[in-house]
Amino acid sequence: MQRRHFLRDSLSVIAGSTLTALPPTLARAADPAVVPPARLDVEGRVLSPILASPERIIEMNVCTRPFRPKGPRIETERLGNKTLVHNYGHGGSGWSLSWGSGNLAVGLAQNIGNREIAIVGCGAIGMTTALVAQQAGLSVTIYAKELPPYVRSYRATGAWTPDSRICTAEYATAFANRWETMARYSFRRFQSLLGLAGNPVEWRDMYSLSDRPFGAGGGNDHESLEPEYPDFSRDLIADITPTAIDIAPEAHPFPAAHVRRRSTMLFNITSYSRLLLGDFLQNGGKLITLELKDRGDFAALEEKTIINCTGYGARSLLNDDSIVPVRGQTAKLIPQPEVNYGFNYGDRRVSVYPRRDGLLVQAQADTDYNNAAENLDPEESISAVNRLAEIVAQMRNPAGLARR
Ligand SMILES: Cc1cc2nc3c(=O)[nH]c(=O)nc-3n(C[C@H](O)[C@H](O)[C@H](O)COP(=O)(O)OP(=O)(O)OC[C@H]3O[C@@H](n4cnc5c(N)ncnc54)[C@H](O)[C@@H]3O)c2cc1C
């Protein structure tokens, strides 16, 4: 077996979720003929070229979204003399809906009347729920097996995607009101986190690229082997989110027939997680590393009211088969602070997000749904970065604009 193939084969079965350095043998050198122009423009905005090539990969991650066709489980369960409030199963929307979801769960916990509460889980949902509880005057201890940066949430894309795999179309009507309440609360909350040091939350331009007119079907994310999902953002909160603008072909540099721009909120997960955890500790929160083995372990905790924010972990902890794993793999490229835009090209199965801690490249695979495999497939990310490189190499300044 050739060394190159041996390395690739060994890496494709890495039983872990994070790879932080790409072996040089796997990094295909970028084509030297493919040099992006120094500057590109769209509607007077400067688009700094993205340096996309596999040797700039600094990290790869894989994780599973905890998807429930009915939507997240936010409800109370009695457990002996304890009350367990569940708050898990947020699919591809956990970061986005976290504040609103935490607010609902804390409301249920407050009905019980105990001032000291436990939260199990320290991912996106656990940290925000803890902060909401503190602001409601409760004293909070977080128990968790893993803390950031080792929680699954840390491996997410980090964009405002409040209706990404949050429920199926079948359950949309039953879940719509609750979704809208969570989305509006969360959206408002995020606006209070803008302009902070480290940019934990910020607004960025994202471009959607498509080979077909928008709305004509095809070319979009995760369309084929997955159930139908509702478009809650369009139907329920269009009044608070920025409008998408179609850009004429002669006015943009992208190699796609149809281009649309929308301002999107991004969560820079490195600084954002630090902010959340720092605020929690500063407010007097306690953090205890602990793994719960089964439902009975909730009852063994000191506190009488417990909020369960274990995400995908709830599937085995509670034997809850209503959680469907939806796999996702990302790669991070060396940060480029000058790149302040991203794009999603569904027809070419790749998207890129201008995160401060690295340009995040997401490969889109048809086999993600109901796929619990959390082993990295390096070739998947390398080929996504190569597809990104091809798109970047095809970008040209719009007609009438001279190259600088
Ligand atoms: C590739 C990918 C991209 C994504 N992109 C986005 C995005 O752009 N925007 C967005 O809003 N969402 C996104 N998501 C979804 C989001 O990441 C999830 O909804 C979110 O991670 C759920 O957070 P959580 O806190 O419930 O779970 P987790 O982050 O998994 O946290 C669970 C916590 O519970 C603890 N725990 C679990 N089991 C036990 C146990 N038995 N005992 C003790 N502790 C336990 C864990 O250690 C951890 O602390 C993405 C997901 C993926 C996979």
Side-chain angles (χ1 to χ4, degrees):
M1 189 186 288
Q2 288 177 354
R3 177 177 147 75
R4 183 186 169 86
H5 289 158
F6 168 74
L7 266 174
R8 190 193 55 212
D9 292 345
S10 329
L11 276 165
S12 64
V13 293
I14 290 170
S17 49
T18 302
L19 179 68
T20 47
L22 185 69
T25 41
L26 282 181
R28 208 167 78 197
D31 181 352
V34 178
V35 179
R39 186 184 145 167
L40 295 157
D41 294 73
V42 58
E43 304 170 302
R45 295 161 151 86
V46 175
L47 303 187
S48 295
I50 291 171
L51 301 176
S53 68
E55 63 268 14
R56 290 181 66 87
I57 296 176
I58 48 174
E59 197 178 307
M60 292 186 203
N61 285 304
V62 62
C63 85
T64 42
R65 300 166 179 90
F67 173 65
R68 295 179 83 239
K70 286 184 177 174
R73 184 176 182 199
I74 308 168
E75 65 186 11
T76 300
E77 179 186 346
R78 284 298 293 177
L79 201 63
N81 66 344
K82 310 248 166 166
T83 304
L84 193 53
V85 178
H86 297 291
N87 188 14
Y88 66 82
H90 297 77
S93 305
W95 283 104
S96 308
L97 293 178
S98 56
W99 291 105
S101 189
N103 194 43
L104 292 181
V106 168
L108 294 176
Q110 279 180 301
N111 289 340
I112 320 298
N114 297 311
R115 227 193 68 77
E116 316 243 307
I117 68 159
I119 288 182
V120 181
C122 195
I125 301 295
M127 289 189 288
T128 46
T129 302
L131 283 168
V132 173
Q134 286 178 326
Q135 279 152 4
L138 304 178
S139 165
V140 185
T141 301
I142 293 181
Y143 300 88
K145 184 168 65 159
E146 294 115 352
L147 306 177
Y150 303 111
V151 293
R152 285 191 174 87
S153 311
Y154 208 84
R155 303 177 216 142
T157 310
W160 169 253
T161 56
D163 57 4
S164 170
R165 295 180 175 107
I166 191 64
C167 76
T168 57
E170 188 189 348
Y171 292 101
T173 309
F175 179 53
N177 274 345
R178 182 171 255 199
W179 181 87
E180 185 176 348
T181 305
M182 292 195 288
R184 286 184 183 273
Y185 184 94
S186 299
F187 186 86
R188 213 173 39 248
R189 193 64 197 250
F190 281 122
Q191 307 321 304
S192 74
L193 297 169
L194 296 171
L196 300 178
N199 300 294
V201 179
E202 63 186 335
W203 283 92
R204 293 297 204 187
D205 286 342
M206 281 296 291
Y207 296 88
S208 297
L209 316 187
S210 177
D211 296 340
R212 281 155 278 209
F214 291 105
N220 294 318
D221 295 355
H222 50 72
E223 57 179 315
S224 49
L225 302 173
E226 304 204 17
E228 203 189 321
Y229 301 109
D231 193 340
F232 282 147
S233 292
R234 180 198 57 199
D235 298 340
L236 300 174
I237 57 164
D239 59 312
I240 53 168
T241 47
T243 312
I245 311 282
D246 287 337
I247 303 177
E250 63 279 9
H252 67 74
F254 297 104
H258 303 276
V259 173
R260 185 172 267 190
R261 173 175 54 77
R262 188 194 288 273
S263 298
T264 303
M265 249 191 303
L266 275 196
F267 314 129
N268 289 300
I269 292 178
T270 305
S271 56
Y272 184 39
S273 294
R274 279 175 173 248
L275 175 82
L276 296 177
L277 212 47
D279 282 0
F280 170 71
L281 294 171
Q282 212 174 345
N283 293 342
K286 282 184 274 176
L287 203 51
I288 295 177
T289 307
L290 179 76
E291 177 173 2
L292 276 61
K293 299 286 187 204
D294 57 32
R295 184 184 294 268
D297 284 351
F298 284 108
L301 297 176
E302 208 177 286
E303 295 78 2
K304 288 204 161 58
T305 304
I306 303 152
I307 307 185
N308 171 24
C309 306
T310 49
Y312 186 66
R315 192 179 148 93
S316 56
L317 185 60
L318 301 176
N319 293 318
D320 184 350
D321 291 341
S322 72
I323 300 180
V324 180
V326 185
R327 187 182 186 279
Q329 184 167 312
T330 59
K332 249 194 220 170
L333 303 178
I334 295 172
Q336 280 188 261
E338 73 281 14
V339 174
N340 58 7
Y341 67 98
F343 59 81
N344 173 22
Y345 200 162
D347 297 294
R348 300 214 202 167
R349 316 297 281 160
V350 68
S351 48
V352 59
Y353 296 81
R355 288 246 308 260
R356 300 272 174 163
D357 51 353
L359 296 180
L360 205 97
V361 181
Q362 184 155 13
Q364 296 153 10
D366 282 332
T367 50
D368 288 341
Y369 190 78
N370 203 7
N371 183 350
E374 291 195 281
N375 55 314
L376 272 168
D377 175 2
E379 205 55 59
E380 183 179 323
S381 284
I382 290 167
S383 99
V385 172
N386 281 326
R387 289 198 299 282
L388 175 64
E390 270 169 28
I391 297 166
V392 171
Q394 290 167 358
M395 287 170 71
R396 297 279 176 272
N397 257 324
L401 264 178
R403 277 202 194 165
R404 293 145 181 96

